[in-house]
Amino acid sequence: MPTALITGATSGIGAAFARRLAADAYSLVLVSRDELRLARAADQLKLRYGVSVEALPADLATEQGLERVESRVRDGVDLLVNNAGFGHPGRFPDVPAADEVRMLKVHCEAVLRLTLAALPGMRERDRGAVINVSSVAAFFPRGTYSASKAWVVNFSESAAAEVGNPRIRIMALCPGFVRTEFHQRATMDTSGIPGFLWLKADNVVRAAMRDLALSRRVSIPDLRYKAIVAIGRLVPRGLQARVSARIGR
C-alpha cells in the first residue's frame, strides 16, 4: 500500500483528502494539533475503509511539532499533502507580528521543510507526489494570507521544475471559498460571499487528484474560479486589492 501523510487532516479539505485516499487504499498518516479529534478521525477511517491509519499530533507552528512531522516524512511517504493553515480575522498591519510570523511558519516554512524531507525518499524510489494546498487568494493582493499562499504557488512550480522528474509531481492546489471550518475559526464574516462561489471539499479533492494525475503544477478547481483568476490577470492590481478587500470580511 502507498502511504500518504496529510497535515490539517481532521476537518475541511484535509479530512476530504483523508477520505479519498483511504478509499484509494492508501495507508494514512494524519497530522493535527487536536489529539482527541485526531484519534477519533483515525478510528473512523480505519473502521470505514479498513486501511492503516497513524495519528500524529503536532503543532506545525512550533519547532518541536515541525521536527516531529519532518522525522516521520523522512521515514517514507508516497504522497505528502501540505494542507494545514489558518487565517487572521484582522487586517494588516493590525494583526500582531507574532501571529503573522506564526502564519508564515505554518504556510511557508512547514511546506518547505516537509517537502524537502519527502524528496530524498521519492528520488530514491523514483516516484512520489506533493500537494501543497494554496488558495485562489494567491492570485490577488490581500494581506499576509494571500502573500503566503502566493509563495506556496511559486514554490511548488519552482520545486517541480528544479526536481525535473515527471515521476515526482509537485502541485499547488488553489481552491476558492470552501465549506469548511476555516472561516469560523478565523471569525471572518462570510455574509458578503455569493452562494454560487462556495465549493464542497470533496469536489475540490476530486479535482486535485485528477490534476495531479495529469501532472499539472497548479490546480484551480472549478471553472468559476478558473475564470475569476483569468479575468483577474487582466485587472489592475489596485482594483484587485479594493475588490478583494470587500469580500469575506
PDB file of all heavy atoms in Angstrom, residues 154-188:
ATOM      1  N   ASN A 154       4.284  29.733  -6.069  1.00  0.00           N
ATOM      2  CA  ASN A 154       5.588  29.931  -6.714  1.00  0.00           C
ATOM      3  C   ASN A 154       6.561  28.836  -6.313  1.00  0.00           C
ATOM      4  O   ASN A 154       7.289  28.285  -7.151  1.00  0.00           O
ATOM      5  CB  ASN A 154       6.136  31.313  -6.338  1.00  0.00           C
ATOM      6  CG  ASN A 154       7.275  31.746  -7.234  1.00  0.00           C
ATOM      7  OD1 ASN A 154       8.232  31.012  -7.429  1.00  0.00           O
ATOM      8  ND2 ASN A 154       7.190  32.968  -7.763  1.00  0.00           N
ATOM      9  N   PHE A 155       6.574  28.502  -5.021  1.00  0.00           N
ATOM     10  CA  PHE A 155       7.464  27.444  -4.544  1.00  0.00           C
ATOM     11  C   PHE A 155       7.158  26.116  -5.213  1.00  0.00           C
ATOM     12  O   PHE A 155       8.068  25.394  -5.647  1.00  0.00           O
ATOM     13  CB  PHE A 155       7.351  27.308  -3.026  1.00  0.00           C
ATOM     14  CG  PHE A 155       7.985  26.052  -2.484  1.00  0.00           C
ATOM     15  CD1 PHE A 155       9.362  25.916  -2.448  1.00  0.00           C
ATOM     16  CD2 PHE A 155       7.202  24.984  -2.052  1.00  0.00           C
ATOM     17  CE1 PHE A 155       9.955  24.744  -1.983  1.00  0.00           C
ATOM     18  CE2 PHE A 155       7.781  23.826  -1.578  1.00  0.00           C
ATOM     19  CZ  PHE A 155       9.161  23.701  -1.538  1.00  0.00           C
ATOM     20  N   SER A 156       5.888  25.759  -5.305  1.00  0.00           N
ATOM     21  CA  SER A 156       5.507  24.472  -5.881  1.00  0.00           C
ATOM     22  C   SER A 156       5.918  24.376  -7.343  1.00  0.00           C
ATOM     23  O   SER A 156       6.475  23.358  -7.784  1.00  0.00           O
ATOM     24  CB  SER A 156       3.991  24.261  -5.748  1.00  0.00           C
ATOM     25  OG  SER A 156       3.600  24.286  -4.391  1.00  0.00           O
ATOM     26  N   GLU A 157       5.659  25.436  -8.103  1.00  0.00           N
ATOM     27  CA  GLU A 157       6.054  25.436  -9.511  1.00  0.00           C
ATOM     28  C   GLU A 157       7.568  25.387  -9.653  1.00  0.00           C
ATOM     29  O   GLU A 157       8.106  24.656 -10.505  1.00  0.00           O
ATOM     30  CB  GLU A 157       5.512  26.680 -10.204  1.00  0.00           C
ATOM     31  CG  GLU A 157       3.999  26.705 -10.355  1.00  0.00           C
ATOM     32  CD  GLU A 157       3.529  27.901 -11.150  1.00  0.00           C
ATOM     33  OE1 GLU A 157       3.539  29.021 -10.603  1.00  0.00           O
ATOM     34  OE2 GLU A 157       3.166  27.714 -12.327  1.00  0.00           O
ATOM     35  N   SER A 158       8.259  26.147  -8.825  1.00  0.00           N
ATOM     36  CA  SER A 158       9.720  26.183  -8.896  1.00  0.00           C
ATOM     37  C   SER A 158      10.324  24.839  -8.493  1.00  0.00           C
ATOM     38  O   SER A 158      11.252  24.345  -9.134  1.00  0.00           O
ATOM     39  CB  SER A 158      10.265  27.295  -7.985  1.00  0.00           C
ATOM     40  OG  SER A 158       9.774  28.555  -8.364  1.00  0.00           O
ATOM     41  N   ALA A 159       9.792  24.243  -7.425  1.00  0.00           N
ATOM     42  CA  ALA A 159      10.312  22.958  -6.955  1.00  0.00           C
ATOM     43  C   ALA A 159      10.099  21.873  -8.007  1.00  0.00           C
ATOM     44  O   ALA A 159      10.986  21.049  -8.257  1.00  0.00           O
ATOM     45  CB  ALA A 159       9.639  22.572  -5.641  1.00  0.00           C
ATOM     46  N   ALA A 160       8.914  21.870  -8.637  1.00  0.00           N
ATOM     47  CA  ALA A 160       8.644  20.875  -9.681  1.00  0.00           C
ATOM     48  C   ALA A 160       9.625  21.021 -10.834  1.00  0.00           C
ATOM     49  O   ALA A 160      10.140  20.024 -11.373  1.00  0.00           O
ATOM     50  CB  ALA A 160       7.202  21.030 -10.177  1.00  0.00           C
ATOM     51  N   ALA A 161       9.915  22.259 -11.207  1.00  0.00           N
ATOM     52  CA  ALA A 161      10.857  22.496 -12.308  1.00  0.00           C
ATOM     53  C   ALA A 161      12.269  22.082 -11.923  1.00  0.00           C
ATOM     54  O   ALA A 161      12.998  21.490 -12.720  1.00  0.00           O
ATOM     55  CB  ALA A 161      10.817  23.968 -12.703  1.00  0.00           C
ATOM     56  N   GLU A 162      12.666  22.377 -10.682  1.00  0.00           N
ATOM     57  CA  GLU A 162      14.016  22.047 -10.236  1.00  0.00           C
ATOM     58  C   GLU A 162      14.216  20.536 -10.100  1.00  0.00           C
ATOM     59  O   GLU A 162      15.272  20.010 -10.450  1.00  0.00           O
ATOM     60  CB  GLU A 162      14.305  22.735  -8.899  1.00  0.00           C
ATOM     61  CG  GLU A 162      14.419  24.247  -8.980  1.00  0.00           C
ATOM     62  CD  GLU A 162      15.675  24.708  -9.690  1.00  0.00           C
ATOM     63  OE1 GLU A 162      16.652  23.941  -9.745  1.00  0.00           O
ATOM     64  OE2 GLU A 162      15.669  25.847 -10.205  1.00  0.00           O
ATOM     65  N   VAL A 163      13.212  19.846  -9.577  1.00  0.00           N
ATOM     66  CA  VAL A 163      13.321  18.383  -9.444  1.00  0.00           C
ATOM     67  C   VAL A 163      13.420  17.748 -10.825  1.00  0.00           C
ATOM     68  O   VAL A 163      14.213  16.821 -11.053  1.00  0.00           O
ATOM     69  CB  VAL A 163      12.128  17.824  -8.651  1.00  0.00           C
ATOM     70  CG1 VAL A 163      12.084  16.296  -8.730  1.00  0.00           C
ATOM     71  CG2 VAL A 163      12.210  18.271  -7.195  1.00  0.00           C
ATOM     72  N   GLY A 164      12.615  18.225 -11.750  1.00  0.00           N
ATOM     73  CA  GLY A 164      12.744  17.826 -13.152  1.00  0.00           C
ATOM     74  C   GLY A 164      12.504  16.356 -13.434  1.00  0.00           C
ATOM     75  O   GLY A 164      13.021  15.812 -14.410  1.00  0.00           O
ATOM     76  N   ASN A 165      11.709  15.688 -12.598  1.00  0.00           N
ATOM     77  CA  ASN A 165      11.422  14.269 -12.790  1.00  0.00           C
ATOM     78  C   ASN A 165       9.910  14.113 -12.936  1.00  0.00           C
ATOM     79  O   ASN A 165       9.169  14.362 -11.988  1.00  0.00           O
ATOM     80  CB  ASN A 165      11.924  13.456 -11.594  1.00  0.00           C
ATOM     81  CG  ASN A 165      11.727  11.956 -11.763  1.00  0.00           C
ATOM     82  OD1 ASN A 165      10.924  11.509 -12.588  1.00  0.00           O
ATOM     83  ND2 ASN A 165      12.446  11.170 -10.986  1.00  0.00           N
ATOM     84  N   PRO A 166       9.423  13.692 -14.104  1.00  0.00           N
ATOM     85  CA  PRO A 166       7.968  13.580 -14.291  1.00  0.00           C
ATOM     86  C   PRO A 166       7.312  12.553 -13.385  1.00  0.00           C
ATOM     87  O   PRO A 166       6.088  12.569 -13.215  1.00  0.00           O
ATOM     88  CB  PRO A 166       7.835  13.185 -15.764  1.00  0.00           C
ATOM     89  CG  PRO A 166       9.155  12.582 -16.131  1.00  0.00           C
ATOM     90  CD  PRO A 166      10.172  13.303 -15.310  1.00  0.00           C
ATOM     91  N   ARG A 167       8.115  11.670 -12.787  1.00  0.00           N
ATOM     92  CA  ARG A 167       7.549  10.673 -11.869  1.00  0.00           C
ATOM     93  C   ARG A 167       7.449  11.195 -10.434  1.00  0.00           C
ATOM     94  O   ARG A 167       6.910  10.526  -9.567  1.00  0.00           O
ATOM     95  CB  ARG A 167       8.399   9.401 -11.908  1.00  0.00           C
ATOM     96  CG  ARG A 167       8.306   8.675 -13.246  1.00  0.00           C
ATOM     97  CD  ARG A 167       9.243   7.451 -13.277  1.00  0.00           C
ATOM     98  NE  ARG A 167       8.943   6.503 -12.227  1.00  0.00           N
ATOM     99  CZ  ARG A 167       7.990   5.577 -12.284  1.00  0.00           C
ATOM    100  NH1 ARG A 167       7.225   5.492 -13.364  1.00  0.00           N
ATOM    101  NH2 ARG A 167       7.801   4.738 -11.287  1.00  0.00           N
ATOM    102  N   ILE A 168       7.992  12.400 -10.206  1.00  0.00           N
ATOM    103  CA  ILE A 168       7.850  13.062  -8.900  1.00  0.00           C
ATOM    104  C   ILE A 168       7.109  14.365  -9.156  1.00  0.00           C
ATOM    105  O   ILE A 168       7.657  15.316  -9.706  1.00  0.00           O
ATOM    106  CB  ILE A 168       9.219  13.325  -8.247  1.00  0.00           C
ATOM    107  CG1 ILE A 168       9.956  12.004  -8.016  1.00  0.00           C
ATOM    108  CG2 ILE A 168       9.029  14.065  -6.918  1.00  0.00           C
ATOM    109  CD1 ILE A 168      11.371  12.178  -7.485  1.00  0.00           C
ATOM    110  N   ARG A 169       5.851  14.385  -8.763  1.00  0.00           N
ATOM    111  CA  ARG A 169       4.997  15.528  -9.090  1.00  0.00           C
ATOM    112  C   ARG A 169       4.807  16.426  -7.871  1.00  0.00           C
ATOM    113  O   ARG A 169       4.575  15.932  -6.762  1.00  0.00           O
ATOM    114  CB  ARG A 169       3.634  15.025  -9.590  1.00  0.00           C
ATOM    115  CG  ARG A 169       3.712  14.312 -10.937  1.00  0.00           C
ATOM    116  CD  ARG A 169       2.503  13.435 -11.181  1.00  0.00           C
ATOM    117  NE  ARG A 169       2.503  12.275 -10.300  1.00  0.00           N
ATOM    118  CZ  ARG A 169       1.484  11.427 -10.186  1.00  0.00           C
ATOM    119  NH1 ARG A 169       0.379  11.625 -10.871  1.00  0.00           N
ATOM    120  NH2 ARG A 169       1.569  10.397  -9.370  1.00  0.00           N
ATOM    121  N   ILE A 170       4.924  17.721  -8.101  1.00  0.00           N
ATOM    122  CA  ILE A 170       4.695  18.719  -7.045  1.00  0.00           C
ATOM    123  C   ILE A 170       3.665  19.698  -7.584  1.00  0.00           C
ATOM    124  O   ILE A 170       3.863  20.293  -8.647  1.00  0.00           O
ATOM    125  CB  ILE A 170       5.998  19.438  -6.660  1.00  0.00           C
ATOM    126  CG1 ILE A 170       7.048  18.425  -6.187  1.00  0.00           C
ATOM    127  CG2 ILE A 170       5.727  20.481  -5.568  1.00  0.00           C
ATOM    128  CD1 ILE A 170       8.413  19.031  -5.898  1.00  0.00           C
ATOM    129  N   MET A 171       2.574  19.865  -6.860  1.00  0.00           N
ATOM    130  CA  MET A 171       1.457  20.665  -7.357  1.00  0.00           C
ATOM    131  C   MET A 171       0.899  21.572  -6.273  1.00  0.00           C
ATOM    132  O   MET A 171       0.766  21.171  -5.116  1.00  0.00           O
ATOM    133  CB  MET A 171       0.348  19.733  -7.862  1.00  0.00           C
ATOM    134  CG  MET A 171      -0.838  20.439  -8.507  1.00  0.00           C
ATOM    135  SD  MET A 171      -2.159  19.263  -8.958  1.00  0.00           S
ATOM    136  CE  MET A 171      -2.962  19.031  -7.353  1.00  0.00           C
ATOM    137  N   ALA A 172       0.573  22.800  -6.646  1.00  0.00           N
ATOM    138  CA  ALA A 172      -0.150  23.715  -5.765  1.00  0.00           C
ATOM    139  C   ALA A 172      -1.635  23.598  -6.062  1.00  0.00           C
ATOM    140  O   ALA A 172      -2.053  23.692  -7.218  1.00  0.00           O
ATOM    141  CB  ALA A 172       0.323  25.145  -5.982  1.00  0.00           C
ATOM    142  N   LEU A 173      -2.420  23.400  -5.017  1.00  0.00           N
ATOM    143  CA  LEU A 173      -3.877  23.332  -5.143  1.00  0.00           C
ATOM    144  C   LEU A 173      -4.458  24.661  -4.678  1.00  0.00           C
ATOM    145  O   LEU A 173      -4.201  25.093  -3.549  1.00  0.00           O
ATOM    146  CB  LEU A 173      -4.415  22.188  -4.285  1.00  0.00           C
ATOM    147  CG  LEU A 173      -5.935  22.103  -4.130  1.00  0.00           C
ATOM    148  CD1 LEU A 173      -6.625  21.908  -5.479  1.00  0.00           C
ATOM    149  CD2 LEU A 173      -6.303  20.973  -3.171  1.00  0.00           C
ATOM    150  N   CYS A 174      -5.233  25.312  -5.557  1.00  0.00           N
ATOM    151  CA  CYS A 174      -5.722  26.670  -5.285  1.00  0.00           C
ATOM    152  C   CYS A 174      -7.242  26.723  -5.324  1.00  0.00           C
ATOM    153  O   CYS A 174      -7.839  27.174  -6.326  1.00  0.00           O
ATOM    154  CB  CYS A 174      -5.136  27.645  -6.309  1.00  0.00           C
ATOM    155  SG  CYS A 174      -3.337  27.668  -6.343  1.00  0.00           S
ATOM    156  N   PRO A 175      -7.900  26.290  -4.261  1.00  0.00           N
ATOM    157  CA  PRO A 175      -9.364  26.377  -4.231  1.00  0.00           C
ATOM    158  C   PRO A 175      -9.822  27.795  -3.891  1.00  0.00           C
ATOM    159  O   PRO A 175      -9.047  28.608  -3.383  1.00  0.00           O
ATOM    160  CB  PRO A 175      -9.751  25.407  -3.113  1.00  0.00           C
ATOM    161  CG  PRO A 175      -8.575  25.455  -2.187  1.00  0.00           C
ATOM    162  CD  PRO A 175      -7.359  25.660  -3.050  1.00  0.00           C
ATOM    163  N   GLY A 176     -11.092  28.054  -4.158  1.00  0.00           N
ATOM    164  CA  GLY A 176     -11.704  29.306  -3.722  1.00  0.00           C
ATOM    165  C   GLY A 176     -12.360  29.102  -2.370  1.00  0.00           C
ATOM    166  O   GLY A 176     -11.819  28.409  -1.501  1.00  0.00           O
ATOM    167  N   PHE A 177     -13.533  29.672  -2.169  1.00  0.00           N
ATOM    168  CA  PHE A 177     -14.246  29.520  -0.904  1.00  0.00           C
ATOM    169  C   PHE A 177     -14.804  28.098  -0.792  1.00  0.00           C
ATOM    170  O   PHE A 177     -15.520  27.641  -1.681  1.00  0.00           O
ATOM    171  CB  PHE A 177     -15.388  30.533  -0.801  1.00  0.00           C
ATOM    172  CG  PHE A 177     -14.915  31.963  -0.752  1.00  0.00           C
ATOM    173  CD1 PHE A 177     -15.130  32.814  -1.825  1.00  0.00           C
ATOM    174  CD2 PHE A 177     -14.245  32.442   0.361  1.00  0.00           C
ATOM    175  CE1 PHE A 177     -14.698  34.134  -1.778  1.00  0.00           C
ATOM    176  CE2 PHE A 177     -13.801  33.758   0.414  1.00  0.00           C
ATOM    177  CZ  PHE A 177     -14.031  34.605  -0.659  1.00  0.00           C
ATOM    178  N   VAL A 178     -14.460  27.414   0.299  1.00  0.00           N
ATOM    179  CA  VAL A 178     -14.858  26.024   0.512  1.00  0.00           C
ATOM    180  C   VAL A 178     -15.622  25.935   1.822  1.00  0.00           C
ATOM    181  O   VAL A 178     -15.253  26.565   2.818  1.00  0.00           O
ATOM    182  CB  VAL A 178     -13.629  25.086   0.540  1.00  0.00           C
ATOM    183  CG1 VAL A 178     -14.076  23.626   0.668  1.00  0.00           C
ATOM    184  CG2 VAL A 178     -12.776  25.270  -0.707  1.00  0.00           C
ATOM    185  N   ARG A 179     -16.685  25.138   1.825  1.00  0.00           N
ATOM    186  CA  ARG A 179     -17.483  24.945   3.041  1.00  0.00           C
ATOM    187  C   ARG A 179     -16.695  24.116   4.053  1.00  0.00           C
ATOM    188  O   ARG A 179     -16.734  22.888   4.051  1.00  0.00           O
ATOM    189  CB  ARG A 179     -18.792  24.245   2.700  1.00  0.00           C
ATOM    190  CG  ARG A 179     -19.726  25.044   1.814  1.00  0.00           C
ATOM    191  CD  ARG A 179     -20.372  26.202   2.548  1.00  0.00           C
ATOM    192  NE  ARG A 179     -21.383  26.893   1.727  1.00  0.00           N
ATOM    193  CZ  ARG A 179     -21.949  28.033   2.076  1.00  0.00           C
ATOM    194  NH1 ARG A 179     -21.620  28.623   3.215  1.00  0.00           N
ATOM    195  NH2 ARG A 179     -22.849  28.597   1.291  1.00  0.00           N
ATOM    196  N   THR A 180     -15.948  24.798   4.918  1.00  0.00           N
ATOM    197  CA  THR A 180     -15.158  24.145   5.958  1.00  0.00           C
ATOM    198  C   THR A 180     -15.272  24.975   7.230  1.00  0.00           C
ATOM    199  O   THR A 180     -16.023  25.946   7.289  1.00  0.00           O
ATOM    200  CB  THR A 180     -13.669  24.039   5.557  1.00  0.00           C
ATOM    201  OG1 THR A 180     -13.101  25.361   5.537  1.00  0.00           O
ATOM    202  CG2 THR A 180     -13.501  23.393   4.186  1.00  0.00           C
ATOM    203  N   GLU A 181     -14.462  24.632   8.233  1.00  0.00           N
ATOM    204  CA  GLU A 181     -14.436  25.387   9.480  1.00  0.00           C
ATOM    205  C   GLU A 181     -13.487  26.580   9.415  1.00  0.00           C
ATOM    206  O   GLU A 181     -13.366  27.336  10.375  1.00  0.00           O
ATOM    207  CB  GLU A 181     -13.992  24.474  10.630  1.00  0.00           C
ATOM    208  CG  GLU A 181     -14.902  23.294  10.872  1.00  0.00           C
ATOM    209  CD  GLU A 181     -14.334  22.341  11.899  1.00  0.00           C
ATOM    210  OE1 GLU A 181     -13.276  22.673  12.493  1.00  0.00           O
ATOM    211  OE2 GLU A 181     -14.921  21.266  12.108  1.00  0.00           O
ATOM    212  N   PHE A 182     -12.804  26.754   8.289  1.00  0.00           N
ATOM    213  CA  PHE A 182     -11.744  27.753   8.171  1.00  0.00           C
ATOM    214  C   PHE A 182     -12.209  29.152   8.576  1.00  0.00           C
ATOM    215  O   PHE A 182     -11.597  29.823   9.404  1.00  0.00           O
ATOM    216  CB  PHE A 182     -11.215  27.768   6.736  1.00  0.00           C
ATOM    217  CG  PHE A 182     -10.180  28.825   6.462  1.00  0.00           C
ATOM    218  CD1 PHE A 182      -8.839  28.571   6.678  1.00  0.00           C
ATOM    219  CD2 PHE A 182     -10.550  30.074   5.976  1.00  0.00           C
ATOM    220  CE1 PHE A 182      -7.882  29.548   6.432  1.00  0.00           C
ATOM    221  CE2 PHE A 182      -9.604  31.054   5.728  1.00  0.00           C
ATOM    222  CZ  PHE A 182      -8.270  30.781   5.958  1.00  0.00           C
ATOM    223  N   HIS A 183     -13.312  29.610   7.982  1.00  0.00           N
ATOM    224  CA  HIS A 183     -13.756  30.977   8.215  1.00  0.00           C
ATOM    225  C   HIS A 183     -14.300  31.170   9.629  1.00  0.00           C
ATOM    226  O   HIS A 183     -14.110  32.222  10.243  1.00  0.00           O
ATOM    227  CB  HIS A 183     -14.805  31.367   7.166  1.00  0.00           C
ATOM    228  CG  HIS A 183     -14.285  31.326   5.770  1.00  0.00           C
ATOM    229  ND1 HIS A 183     -14.418  30.207   4.969  1.00  0.00           N
ATOM    230  CD2 HIS A 183     -13.608  32.245   5.036  1.00  0.00           C
ATOM    231  CE1 HIS A 183     -13.852  30.449   3.798  1.00  0.00           C
ATOM    232  NE2 HIS A 183     -13.356  31.667   3.812  1.00  0.00           N
ATOM    233  N   GLN A 184     -14.981  30.143  10.157  1.00  0.00           N
ATOM    234  CA  GLN A 184     -15.488  30.246  11.522  1.00  0.00           C
ATOM    235  C   GLN A 184     -14.346  30.351  12.524  1.00  0.00           C
ATOM    236  O   GLN A 184     -14.403  31.133  13.475  1.00  0.00           O
ATOM    237  CB  GLN A 184     -16.371  29.037  11.856  1.00  0.00           C
ATOM    238  CG  GLN A 184     -17.703  29.012  11.120  1.00  0.00           C
ATOM    239  CD  GLN A 184     -17.598  28.334   9.759  1.00  0.00           C
ATOM    240  OE1 GLN A 184     -16.500  28.135   9.243  1.00  0.00           O
ATOM    241  NE2 GLN A 184     -18.745  27.996   9.190  1.00  0.00           N
ATOM    242  N   ARG A 185     -13.295  29.564  12.325  1.00  0.00           N
ATOM    243  CA  ARG A 185     -12.154  29.600  13.245  1.00  0.00           C
ATOM    244  C   ARG A 185     -11.480  30.971  13.230  1.00  0.00           C
ATOM    245  O   ARG A 185     -10.955  31.426  14.252  1.00  0.00           O
ATOM    246  CB  ARG A 185     -11.145  28.517  12.862  1.00  0.00           C
ATOM    247  CG  ARG A 185     -11.595  27.107  13.202  1.00  0.00           C
ATOM    248  CD  ARG A 185     -10.550  26.100  12.777  1.00  0.00           C
ATOM    249  NE  ARG A 185     -10.909  24.747  13.173  1.00  0.00           N
ATOM    250  CZ  ARG A 185     -10.178  23.674  12.874  1.00  0.00           C
ATOM    251  NH1 ARG A 185      -9.056  23.807  12.177  1.00  0.00           N
ATOM    252  NH2 ARG A 185     -10.568  22.487  13.264  1.00  0.00           N
ATOM    253  N   ALA A 186     -11.466  31.598  12.067  1.00  0.00           N
ATOM    254  CA  ALA A 186     -10.843  32.920  11.945  1.00  0.00           C
ATOM    255  C   ALA A 186     -11.821  34.040  12.255  1.00  0.00           C
ATOM    256  O   ALA A 186     -11.467  35.214  12.126  1.00  0.00           O
ATOM    257  CB  ALA A 186     -10.280  33.090  10.544  1.00  0.00           C
ATOM    258  N   THR A 187     -13.040  33.683  12.671  1.00  0.00           N
ATOM    259  CA  THR A 187     -14.117  34.646  12.953  1.00  0.00           C
ATOM    260  C   THR A 187     -14.280  35.661  11.831  1.00  0.00           C
ATOM    261  O   THR A 187     -14.358  36.866  12.059  1.00  0.00           O
ATOM    262  CB  THR A 187     -13.887  35.381  14.303  1.00  0.00           C
ATOM    263  OG1 THR A 187     -12.677  36.158  14.231  1.00  0.00           O
ATOM    264  CG2 THR A 187     -13.800  34.393  15.458  1.00  0.00           C
ATOM    265  N   MET A 188     -14.313  35.154  10.603  1.00  0.00           N
ATOM    266  CA  MET A 188     -14.479  36.008   9.433  1.00  0.00           C
ATOM    267  C   MET A 188     -15.952  36.109   9.053  1.00  0.00           C
ATOM    268  O   MET A 188     -16.684  35.116   9.123  1.00  0.00           O
ATOM    269  CB  MET A 188     -13.693  35.444   8.239  1.00  0.00           C
ATOM    270  CG  MET A 188     -12.198  35.484   8.400  1.00  0.00           C
ATOM    271  SD  MET A 188     -11.360  34.812   6.946  1.00  0.00           S
ATOM    272  CE  MET A 188      -9.641  34.980   7.438  1.00  0.00           C
TER     273      MET A 188
END
